[in-house]
């Protein structure tokens, strides 16, 4: 490696390795996520968020006060998706500007209410300013309102 370049490390949350193999995705994970963030992450904290098959983690970057969410919240822009997905997205409420918990996680969340509430307390303690999403438009302001609206009524 050249001077000044850092080695990139890929991390897998539980069951992601199996999903990648099943889909024949050519990715190699160097490490697995555990209950606490790795020391080398420094400014990034995490919490396990129950619900769903793939065991979601929600991350928080202290420096930017950004909550980083992979699959837990979906906030798709309807004008950017075609039918029949547009209608399905409308029916599930997972569209901008509303955004919702991924429909596949809603029932499991109800069944794991205590764990979900513990994760929500941690998320609230971080006091994020914005929410970065993997699926759909991010929430650049009023993160506290978005968290209350989406999460506190879910579990």
């Amino acid at each position: 490696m050249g001077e000044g370049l850092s080695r990139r490390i890929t991390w897998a949350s539980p069951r992601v390795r199996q999903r990648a193999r099943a889909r024949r995705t050519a990715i190699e994970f160097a490490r697995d996520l555990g209950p606490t963030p790795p020391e080398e992450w420094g400014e990034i904290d995490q919490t396990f968020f129950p619900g769903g098959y793939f065991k979601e983690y929600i991350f928080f970057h202290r420096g930017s006060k950004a909550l980083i969410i992979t699959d837990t919240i979906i906030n798709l822009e309807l004008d950017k998706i075609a039918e029949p997905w547009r209608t399905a997205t409308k029916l599930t409420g997972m569209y901008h500007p509303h955004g919702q918990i991924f429909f596949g996680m809603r029932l499991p969340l109800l069944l794991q209410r205590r764990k979900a509430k513990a994760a929500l307390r941690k998320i609230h303690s971080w006091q994020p300013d914005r929410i970065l999403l993997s699926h759909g438009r991010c929430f650049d302001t009023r993160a506290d309102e978005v968290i209350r609206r989406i999460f506190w009524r879910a579990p």
Side-chain angles (χ1 to χ4, degrees):
M1 251 190 274
E3 192 173 320
L5 294 177
S6 63
R7 183 172 163 243
R8 294 176 196 258
I9 299 171
T10 52
W11 295 83
S13 58
R15 298 194 180 125
V16 167
R17 287 178 191 272
Q18 295 91 326
R19 181 179 180 191
R21 277 194 293 270
R23 291 184 172 191
R24 294 188 170 95
T25 303
I27 186 168
E28 290 185 33
F29 295 101
R31 300 187 190 161
D32 293 310
L33 291 172
T36 59
E39 251 183 62
E40 65 261 36
W41 284 12
E43 287 193 67
I44 298 175
D45 200 352
Q46 71 181 41
T47 189
F48 170 74
F49 195 75
Y53 178 76
F54 297 109
K55 309 301 180 204
E56 296 297 320
Y57 280 91
I58 292 179
F59 304 96
F60 179 67
H61 182 258
R62 290 181 197 93
S64 63
K65 294 191 76 171
L67 197 63
I68 304 162
I69 297 178
T70 54
D71 296 331
T72 306
I73 294 177
I74 310 293
N75 191 37
L76 300 176
E77 295 174 86
L78 292 174
D79 61 337
K80 294 184 179 179
I81 51 179
E83 291 296 347
W85 303 113
R86 182 181 300 133
T87 298
T89 301
K90 275 183 164 178
L91 291 172
T92 60
M94 299 184 305
Y95 61 93
H96 176 73
H98 310 290
Q100 289 297 324
I101 292 175
F102 172 60
F103 74 93
M105 292 181 71
R106 294 176 192 173
L107 179 59
L109 272 177
L110 289 172
L111 300 174
Q112 299 179 63
R113 200 177 288 257
R114 196 174 78 232
K115 289 180 182 177
K117 286 189 178 190
L120 291 171
R121 281 192 295 275
K122 186 166 187 177
I123 291 166
H124 179 72
S125 76
W126 291 330
Q127 299 181 327
D129 288 338
R130 59 193 178 132
I131 302 171
L132 306 178
L133 302 174
S134 294
H135 301 288
R137 195 166 185 179
C138 298
F139 295 98
D140 293 322
T141 61
R142 300 191 311 258
D144 57 334
E145 292 174 22
V146 173
I147 291 165
R148 272 195 301 277
R149 178 180 57 80
I150 293 176
F151 286 118
W152 285 111
R153 66 183 172 148

